[in-house]
């Protein structure tokens, strides 16, 4: 039985990863402050990752899945605290690529400040650099927008809510802005492949090859909810994050290196169906934003 450490373990990505590896029969340790319900079947190491002390010194982990590192200091403190480990996989972000570089972004593209992601992106860059310095054999994954069951971010959940309330959907401009997604289970499958094959490449963009327009994405969410959709195009000079789930920023990752190892990803409709099934029973777990209130106040 493999021992794996997952930082976090209670919210979306880290929780899904924890449950995924419990189902695979691994001995899953989660490192968090024990302020939320823990996944079934895990062993909790209760500590703040910024104040771990000696809690990890006596452990050996076959894999560390670092889901909650946002800064170089996060990486440094964890590596100083852990006893020993074999493999390390860090879930970084596509926010490391500046918006002005040619697209699709490849793994060897310039990294730098992205005006839409700001400090979040530059902190992730520094975290990657620290990990490469401390452990050149570690793996770094850069996903676009992750989605799927347990997603507490108000993205597909917002559209599902609008659909179930039989609301018109307010769409930025003509809805042609493209989004790139990656299903959470595909992320886990790809981590399995990395651990099995240990490729020479250590930084991977991960995501679906296909992008989707925001119009088609919203229509698909309504369809899955069993509803027809009526769009209202918003052509006013208004910040779209006031009433919509995404920045006015279109980008695309080159995922050819991922596809060499994992040729198939989950169809968006299939993944959104799983998201919807989870949402129906877990709407209260989503961190709602006041998009609907803004729409009702400013547009209706």
């Amino acid at each position: 039985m493999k021992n794996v450490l997952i930082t976090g373990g209670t919210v979306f990505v880290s929780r899904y990863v924890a449950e995924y590896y419990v189902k695979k029969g691994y001995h899953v340790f989660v490192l968090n402050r024990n302020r939320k319900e823990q996944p079934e079947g895990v062993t909790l190491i209760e500590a703040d990752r910024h104040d771990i002390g000696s809690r990890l010194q006596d452990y050996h982990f076959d894999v560390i899945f670092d889901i909650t590192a946002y800064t170089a200091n996060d990486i440094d403190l964890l590596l100083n605290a852990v006893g020993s480990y074999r493999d390390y996989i860090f879930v970084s972000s596509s926010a490391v690529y500046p918006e002005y570089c040619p697209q699709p972004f490849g793994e060897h593209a310039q990294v730098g400040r992205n005006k839409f992601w700001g400090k979040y992106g530059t902190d992730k860059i520094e975290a990657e650099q620290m990990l490469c310095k401390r452990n050149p054999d570690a793996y770094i994954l850069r996903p676009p927008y992750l989605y799927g069951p347990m997603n507490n971010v108000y993205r597909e959940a917002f559209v599902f809510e609008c659909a179930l309330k039989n609301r018109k959907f307010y769409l930025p401009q003509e809805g042609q802005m493209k989004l790139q997604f990656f299903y959470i289970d595909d992320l886990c499958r790809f981590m399995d492949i990395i651990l099995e094959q240990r490729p020479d490449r250590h930084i991977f963009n991960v995501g679906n090859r296909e992008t989707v327009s925001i119009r088609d994405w919203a229509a698909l969410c309504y369809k899955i909810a069993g509803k027809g959709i009526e769009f209202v195009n918003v052509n006013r000079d208004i910040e779209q994050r006031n009433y919509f789930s995404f920045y006015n920023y279109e980008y695309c990752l080159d995922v050819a290196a991922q596809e060499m190892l994992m040729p198939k990803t989950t169809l968006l409709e299939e993944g959104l169906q799983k998201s919807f099934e989870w949402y129906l029973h877990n709407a209260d777990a989503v961190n709602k934003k006041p998009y609907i209130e803004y729409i009702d106040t400013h547009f209706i």
Side-chain angles (χ1 to χ4, degrees):
M1 181 185 293
K2 289 185 177 180
N3 289 344
V4 302
L5 175 67
I6 296 168
T7 61
T10 60
V11 176
F12 188 28
V13 179
S14 62
R15 187 180 192 94
Y16 194 99
V17 173
E19 294 192 5
Y20 179 91
Y21 284 101
V22 166
K23 290 175 184 175
K24 286 179 68 76
Y26 290 15
H27 189 179
V28 176
F29 296 82
V30 294
L31 175 69
N32 62 65
R33 294 171 292 181
N34 198 21
R35 296 182 180 176
K36 295 182 172 143
E37 180 184 0
Q38 304 296 325
E40 289 188 14
V42 304
T43 299
L44 171 65
I45 301 174
E46 185 175 343
D48 188 316
R49 72 175 293 158
H50 301 114
D51 187 23
I52 300 173
S54 61
R55 298 298 307 278
L56 298 180
Q57 285 184 359
D58 295 333
Y59 290 96
H60 170 78
F61 299 108
D62 295 285
V63 192
I64 295 174
F65 296 105
D66 197 348
I67 315 295
T68 64
Y70 295 97
T71 68
N73 192 49
D74 291 344
I75 298 285
D76 205 33
L77 289 173
L78 183 62
L79 289 178
N80 288 341
V82 72
S84 62
Y85 67 95
R86 182 180 181 186
D87 291 303
Y88 196 114
I89 297 180
F90 169 42
V91 178
S92 183
S93 171
S94 55
V96 301
Y97 298 115
E99 77 286 350
Y100 50 80
C101 283
Q103 297 188 33
F105 300 129
E107 289 89 345
H108 297 295
Q110 172 187 343
V111 298
R113 185 182 185 278
N114 182 299
K115 71 178 182 180
F116 295 96
W117 295 110
K119 189 173 186 298
Y120 170 77
T122 54
D123 281 350
K124 282 286 192 179
I125 292 170
E126 292 175 1
E128 289 186 6
Q129 291 170 343
M130 176 60 72
L131 181 56
C132 291
K133 177 182 176 182
R134 294 286 306 267
N135 181 1
D137 293 326
Y139 289 95
I140 295 169
L141 307 183
R142 295 171 175 167
Y145 296 111
L146 290 164
Y147 79 103
M150 305 185 196
N151 188 2
N152 65 319
V153 184
Y154 199 44
R155 289 175 181 156
E156 62 262 31
F158 165 57
V159 190
F160 293 147
E161 181 178 353
C162 290
L164 292 174
K165 291 181 175 179
N166 295 305
R167 294 179 61 92
K168 297 177 182 178
F169 195 78
Y170 286 74
L171 194 66
Q173 306 299 324
E174 302 303 314
Q176 296 308 304
M177 187 182 86
K178 298 293 183 64
L179 298 171
Q180 188 174 25
F181 289 102
F182 197 42
Y183 186 49
I184 184 63
D185 200 73
D186 289 342
L187 176 70
C188 293
R189 291 195 303 115
F190 189 66
M191 293 193 294
D192 283 345
I193 290 169
I194 284 178
L195 295 172
E196 291 166 4
Q197 299 190 18
R198 289 190 169 78
D200 293 335
R201 175 190 291 268
H202 286 270
I203 298 178
F204 286 89
N205 290 336
V206 292
N208 295 347
R209 172 189 284 186
E210 304 83 5
T211 58
V212 61
S213 72
I214 54 177
R215 184 183 185 91
D216 289 345
W217 173 72
L220 186 56
C221 289
Y222 269 67
K223 174 186 173 185
I224 287 167
K227 304 288 183 175
I229 190 168
E230 181 181 350
F231 289 109
V232 178
N233 297 108
V234 179
N235 294 303
R236 305 183 200 176
D237 187 18
I238 296 175
E239 170 55 54
Q240 73 181 43
R241 280 299 298 273
N242 290 334
Y243 64 93
F244 186 65
S245 307
F246 299 92
Y247 290 111
N248 184 17
Y249 171 46
E250 178 179 297
Y251 73 93
C252 181
L253 302 176
D254 180 347
V255 295
Q258 167 204 296
E259 289 185 318
M260 291 291 291
L261 300 178
M262 188 176 77
K264 292 185 179 180
T265 56
T266 301
L267 294 175
L268 183 60
E269 183 169 358
E270 180 183 342
L272 285 173
Q273 180 66 51
K274 297 292 186 183
S275 298
F276 181 65
E277 292 167 4
W278 177 85
Y279 172 75
L280 286 177
H281 303 286
N282 297 277
D284 291 343
V286 177
N287 294 329
K288 290 185 64 174
K289 301 287 186 182
Y291 302 145
I292 290 176
E293 292 82 354
Y294 187 93
I295 290 167
D296 290 346
T297 300
H298 292 84
F299 299 150
I300 295 177

